[in-house]
Amino acid sequence: EIIEEETGATSGGNTGGMFSFLKNINFSTQQTVTADSLQPVLDKLKEHLTSKNVAAEISAQLCDSLESGLVGKSYSTFTGLTSTARQALSDALTKILSPKRRVNVLRDVLEAKSKDRPYVITFCGVNGVGKSTNLA
C-alpha cells in the first residue's frame, strides 16, 4: 500500500495532489526508475497538463525535465521519488519562466518612446492576487 505524503490518501482511494500520477510506480523493493516504467506516467502527466490549458511545448519540456531527473535513479519509497520529482519540476519551471535576457523596463520604455511606439506591460494572475491593487 503506497501512501501519498501531502494528502495522507492511500493508493486504493482517490488520491489528489500534483504528484499522485507517480503512484503507479511499484515500490515493493528498491528499484531503479527506467524510461519504460516512467513513460506511461509521463504520458498521463502530459495529457493532464494539456487538459489544464498548458501549452503542448511547455508540457513536453516539463515531462522531459522530469524524465531526466528521475530515470536511472533508485528509490525505495514514494516520498523519495516525490521529493525528487518536485525538485525536477521546480527547476524546469524556473528555467522556463526565467527571462532569456536582462530586463531593463526603463530603457525599453525610452527606446519605444523614441521610435513612437507604445510600450505595453501585461499583468497576469489569478483572481485575488493584487493585480489592480499594485497598479493603484
Side-chain angles (χ1 to χ4, degrees), residues 88-121:
L89 284 176
S90 176
D91 292 345
L93 285 169
T94 300
K95 183 178 178 183
I96 290 168
L97 295 174
S98 296
K100 304 294 184 244
R101 64 179 182 89
R102 193 174 179 122
V103 178
N104 184 337
V105 176
L106 186 55
R107 181 199 64 209
D108 293 346
V109 167
L110 293 173
E111 181 182 328
K113 186 177 180 180
S114 70
K115 295 179 181 179
D116 267 346
R117 290 185 305 134
Y119 188 81
V120 179
I121 298 175

Side-chain angles (χ1 to χ4, degrees), residues 50-88:
T50 303
S51 74
K52 298 296 182 184
N53 294 324
V54 175
E57 180 182 325
I58 299 300
S59 59
Q61 284 180 2
L62 290 173
C63 288
D64 291 345
S65 293
L66 187 61
E67 182 178 18
S68 66
L70 296 178
V71 170
K73 296 186 179 165
S74 294
Y75 301 95
S76 59
T77 65
F78 180 71
T79 304
L81 179 62
T82 302
S83 62
T84 303
R86 184 184 315 270
Q87 187 60 48

Side-chain angles (χ1 to χ4, degrees), residues 28-57:
S28 56
T29 61
Q30 183 166 348
Q31 68 181 52
T32 301
V33 177
T34 65
D36 291 338
S37 68
L38 196 57
Q39 194 56 51
V41 174
L42 293 175
D43 291 341
K44 188 172 181 177
L45 175 63
K46 194 179 295 185
E47 180 182 315
H48 179 72
L49 290 171
T50 303
S51 74
K52 298 296 182 184
N53 294 324
V54 175
E57 180 182 325

Side-chain angles (χ1 to χ4, degrees), residues 12-29:
N14 184 13
T15 59
M18 177 66 187
F19 297 100
S20 63
F21 62 89
L22 293 171
K23 71 180 179 210
N24 296 328
I25 297 177
N26 181 20
F27 287 105
S28 56
T29 61

